[in-house]
Amino acid sequence: MAQSSRRSSISGPSQHNALVSQNQVVLYNASSKGLTVNYIHPACHTVEEPDASTCPYCHRPLDEYNHSAPQAPTSDHRAPNYFHLLAIHNESTSRPLTPPHLEDEARPPLSSETMAEGYFDAFFREESKLGMGANGSVFLCQHVLDGNLLGRFAVKKIAVGSSHKYLVRILKEVRLLETLRHPNIITYHHSWLEPCRFSTFGPSVPTLFILMQWAEGGSLDDFIAQRRGISHGDTYQNSASPESEEAHMTKAQRIAAFKARTGAGASGTSRPANLKAVHLLSTDEIVSLLWDITSGLAFLHNRSILHLDLKPGNVLLTWDPNVLIPRGMLSDFGAARDMLHQGSRTGVTGTLEYTSPEIIMPDPMTGALRQTDSKSDIWSLGIILHKLIFFHTPWRNGNDDFSLLEQEVIAYPGFIPDPSITSACSRRGLPTELLTLLQSLLDRAPGRRPSCEKILLAIEEHK
């Protein structure tokens, strides 16, 4: 029997289908507000079945209801309001909707009236921890309904406590992302407030839960680390890599550094058993990933949104069917800004290693921080391209020494490909146009950096 992963939206006199997955159909009854899981007859989803693209219940096309916003290519043909249907189903004990507008930061502490207590345990099963950042922890969860498994999602838990100010700031990111639908933007599905205990003996605190698309391929940082021969869990954390240091060494110094790292003696015969090979990215991989990142960034810029924290760790990957190269999706919009309504800057945002010089340097006339624009994101895109090509950033100093790294970024003259770099890239089969593009992205003058549209036109020639 062929397993189906098709998902659809079906409406009828009293029922609305929310999800169909793995021969299971979730039905919502508008009268009783109940959800049930029905099983589809195997014959409806065999490969030979001529109408496998239609619903086995109403026989309408599965994609008939996806006319609103452009959706990311995914196996989830889910009703846009699917998780709100779960909210309605669970409303007798909670209010698991996206939290209301909370601009009044002087309001009293969050009360139980705003909490959706029990919603997470009712509909999700936590499987593992995916990562932890400055704003919270992300967990891999299985969506469960009535004991039936309906797919995996990522859930970010952010402890907001009683701070309305902090909650408002986080909600700006959530509300922004709930409106964005693009194949190269991570999909945010739903959010709610619920008490959560983060440790066995710790107190239960008000927590914002954010349900989003699970990127099974990890981050671009993980992808590069694996290709560099660094296994998951090693100490590689955006710091200055051995390659970054070796780029400024002579050949003899590089050999000595390699022997020091591997423990090789004078004869060079000693070698750790777990040493892994480095596999540089091919032209196709670099071009495909760069296209994905630029496409997502163009989508944001066309909506007057700046990312301002573009880096490999914020590019998540997913593997589409029958495609050898993963698809990149932008995530983590905590530092994002609306270009049309941004106020004065009070500090540097983003990750210093990927931050443009003009963000760091104050205006020489006024001493104030300059306003940011889309060209700051283009610089970050250039640093990412530098890492895709060379597996390291241009910096000798990593994020462990901010003062030295800041000085290095400010003094950086821009990317200038010397003959040795051009020759090395040529031997790898990389087109010289990639180096020319990199040079334009890392131009010191923001006005000379190309727009996303021009970058996409340049990439299109090599796709």
Side-chain angles (χ1 to χ4, degrees), residues 13-32:
S14 62
Q15 289 187 323
H16 179 85
N17 177 343
L19 176 75
V20 62
S21 173
Q22 296 181 342
N23 295 335
Q24 300 167 324
V25 177
V26 178
L27 296 175
Y28 169 67
N29 190 300
S31 302
S32 65

Side-chain angles (χ1 to χ4, degrees), residues 160-410:
V160 295
S162 58
S163 173
H164 280 283
K165 181 177 181 180
Y166 183 55
L167 177 59
V168 167
R169 184 168 69 82
I170 298 298
L171 282 179
K172 287 180 179 178
E173 173 189 354
V174 175
R175 287 205 178 96
L176 172 69
L177 286 176
E178 284 178 345
T179 65
L180 302 180
R181 292 292 184 270
H182 189 271
N184 302 117
I185 302 288
I186 204 77
T187 303
Y188 277 43
H189 295 290
H190 189 49
S191 61
W192 68 96
L193 284 169
E194 182 175 356
C196 179
R197 191 185 304 274
F198 286 86
S199 63
T200 305
F201 302 103
S204 181
V205 297
T207 301
L208 180 66
F209 286 69
I210 305 172
L211 182 72
M212 51 192 176
Q213 178 183 358
W214 172 48
E216 78 283 1
S219 72
L220 183 57
D221 244 346
D222 300 328
F223 186 72
I224 293 174
Q226 291 169 359
R227 296 295 290 268
R228 289 183 60 227
I230 300 176
S231 61
H232 182 71
D234 283 347
T235 56
Y236 177 75
Q237 292 291 341
N238 280 335
S239 59
S241 64
E243 284 82 358
S244 177
E245 298 169 359
E246 290 178 9
H248 307 279
M249 295 180 181
T250 65
K251 182 177 180 181
Q253 288 173 327
R254 287 197 295 271
I255 294 174
F258 173 79
K259 290 181 177 180
R261 289 202 311 274
T262 59
S267 63
T269 57
S270 175
R271 174 174 173 163
N274 62 349
L275 187 65
K276 298 180 180 179
V278 174
H279 298 277
L280 296 171
L281 299 182
S282 67
T283 299
D284 288 343
E285 289 172 318
I286 294 172
V287 168
S288 178
L289 290 167
L290 182 63
W291 173 273
D292 290 341
I293 300 169
T294 308
S295 296
L297 194 59
F299 179 80
L300 294 179
H301 288 180
N302 287 337
R303 284 153 182 78
S304 299
I305 298 170
L306 302 178
H307 191 287
L308 296 183
D309 196 16
L310 197 60
K311 58 184 179 181
N314 286 341
V315 177
L316 302 183
L317 306 178
T318 187
W319 295 91
D320 294 323
N322 303 317
V323 177
L324 296 178
I325 302 173
R327 170 163 49 92
M329 301 175 290
L330 304 188
S331 70
D332 201 342
F333 290 72
R337 288 181 179 227
D338 185 339
M339 283 188 279
L340 300 179
H341 303 98
Q342 64 173 326
S344 59
R345 289 176 56 216
T346 57
V348 176
T349 59
T351 303
L352 185 57
E353 198 174 3
Y354 294 86
T355 300
S356 62
E358 66 269 15
I359 287 186
I360 303 172
M361 299 169 60
D363 189 306
M365 301 296 294
T366 65
L369 292 173
R370 301 169 181 172
Q371 290 301 317
T372 54
D373 59 22
S374 61
K375 297 307 176 71
S376 295
D377 280 339
I378 299 299
W379 174 278
S380 302
L381 181 65
I383 300 295
I384 291 178
L385 177 56
H386 192 287
K387 194 161 188 175
L388 287 173
I389 296 174
F390 304 111
F391 278 7
H392 63 80
T393 64
W395 322 123
R396 294 170 180 258
N397 301 286
N399 276 328
D400 54 335
D401 195 328
F402 287 97
S403 60
L404 291 177
L405 177 57
E406 183 177 29
Q407 294 173 21
E408 194 174 356
V409 172
I410 293 174

Side-chain angles (χ1 to χ4, degrees), residues 23 80 101 136 158 194 270 298 395 420 422 427:
N23 295 335
H101 202 54
I158 305 174
E194 182 175 356
S270 175
W395 322 123
S420 63
T422 304
R427 289 195 299 271

Side-chain angles (χ1 to χ4, degrees), residues 6-8 44-46 49-56 59-64 77:
R6 292 187 178 276
R7 305 185 178 187
S8 64
C44 294
H45 286 283
T46 56
E49 184 66 26
D51 61 346
S53 63
T54 61
C55 170
H59 306 292
R60 282 180 283 181
L62 290 176
D63 292 329
E64 180 178 334
H77 288 17

